[in-house]
Amino acid sequence: MNEAMQATELALLSTGQMQQADAMTIAAGRPGIVLMERAGAAVAAAALARSAEGAAITVVCGPGNNGGDGFVAARILRERGRQVRVLLHGRLEALTGDAAAASARWDGPILPLARIREAPGYLFIDALFGAGLTRALAGEAAAAVAFMNETGRPIIAVDVPSGVSGDTGQVDGIAVKASETVTFFRLKPGHLLLPGRSLCGHVSLSDIGILPEAAAGAATFRNDVGLWRDVWPRHGLDTHKFRRGAVAVVAGGVAGVGAPRLSARAALRIGAGLATILCEPAALMAHAARGPDALMQRSAADAAALTAFLDDPRVSAVLAGPALGLGERGAELVGAIAGCATPAVLDADALTLLARAPGGAAALLAGRRAACVLTPHEGEFQRLFGGEAGIAKERSKLERARKAARRCGAIVVYKGADTVVAAPDGRAAINTTGGPALATAGSGDVLAGLICGLLAQGMPAFEASCAAAWLHGRAGERLGIGLIADDLPEAIPALMRETLPV
């Protein structure tokens, strides 16, 4: 499978793009009712897998095509021996198009939604509203969703849980908490962004016959190996440590020895050939005392010393931020990195210093001659971009990251349980690996080091950031609760062997 095909299969489509995909397929000669029949059949299959013959299933239909999918599922489930009760939000005569046709093929009773509390059955199918909902659920619909959630019975959502935005994952008011979500053709950002991701349950993706080329040109992706495997660093037998990549990690004083060493070790574990800690002169002995290990250390008292070190063409990437310090030296060093031609990763203290600089990150990084990656968590993102009205007003984490990347001309790794990696050219990926075990001190320092280690080996910055985020999350899953940040770099080589066999 080539890179373009892999990326297309990982594409995430907005609700508008999904509507265009439907329209393209219908225009090519595949009737909309055929797509609806296939969608309803996929929902029915999910319900059949979760219920025994004779089980009572309540299908809650809305006034649009989502409701039409529900009517199809209801008909198939009854044909397969389930006891099916159909409820409709709105008037039957108000249904139009394919939804009206699907309802006409259901010859059983259709009850008003207000009667949902009567004999709710074993399982619910939520076909109320789809991904394009742009308002809060209210009145009868909100009451029905509240009741479904309160029963504790399994809920299968059609497309997205009602109340969740397919574009942002956001919820205004109340939303269905589904056991499973059945969606079609390609996932949407709302399936992966919080809180939508936590409300979807297991997400099943069904091929209903939409033309594959409808996803061509997508700029948003689910982060997975297929997105970056083809540009993963490969080294020949004749390589040496500098060709493998030399990383400089800019550190602070004696009080912050551990964090930069975590970053440097992560860079080595992901394949860089050399890592050097550049610290305050007074901290040299503290770093030396932490050995023996593969890390080197040198003093860098000021910006001139750092610039001289980075002028060595063998230094292929630089990382600054973990325990750098927020004083004058730190600000000078960040300024020196902003002006150098070495690929850079800026994390932690470096981000705060960027935010404090006159004009902020955009001004300091303007005209930078090499790739730059910023790795903010939520608080750091707000310090960097919270004053930018065009960014702060965006409800979608995806769009905030995308606009921030464009604003400062750097890759932005907007960290969290739903980490978003965004590039200035508009590409973005949402990461799904990881978990609560990664909520431990030093975890972010390791991620920054992994990104820098891949940059040092010549991997493009967007793909390097995506790969590092994915591997970092997978390591957290593998190690589980109880891990400490020191464990993460050590887990990376085995993961690389499993995931990226030579």
Side-chain angles (χ1 to χ4, degrees), residues 290-329:
R290 294 288 291 266
D293 58 22
L295 306 183
M296 301 179 69
Q297 45 270 325
R298 288 182 56 172
S299 68
D302 52 27
L306 174 61
T307 299
F309 188 86
L310 296 181
D311 281 344
D312 186 337
R314 297 177 301 176
V315 179
S316 46
V318 58
L319 163 63
L324 175 63
L326 298 174
E328 183 177 346
R329 173 181 176 269

Side-chain angles (χ1 to χ4, degrees), residues 318-320 343-347 351 354 365 368 370-376 409-413 421-422 448 451-452 455 460-462 464-465:
V318 58
L319 163 63
V345 180
L346 299 177
D347 183 38
L351 299 176
L354 270 183
L365 298 177
R368 195 169 193 280
C372 186
V373 180
L374 310 182
T375 59
I411 304 297
V412 172
V413 180
V421 180
I451 297 170
C452 195
L455 277 182
F462 176 73
S465 300

Side-chain angles (χ1 to χ4, degrees), residues 56-58 85 116-124 147 151 153:
I57 296 175
T58 296
R85 193 169 65 117
I116 192 170
R117 293 179 176 273
E118 302 172 10
Y122 168 73
L123 178 149
F124 289 103
F147 175 72
T151 64
R153 289 170 170 78

Side-chain angles (χ1 to χ4, degrees), residues 34-44 69 72-73 158 182 184 206 208:
V34 172
L35 302 179
M36 186 169 285
E37 284 285 333
R38 292 176 177 176
V43 174
D69 297 340
V72 173
V158 179
V182 180
F184 317 108
S206 178
I208 60 173

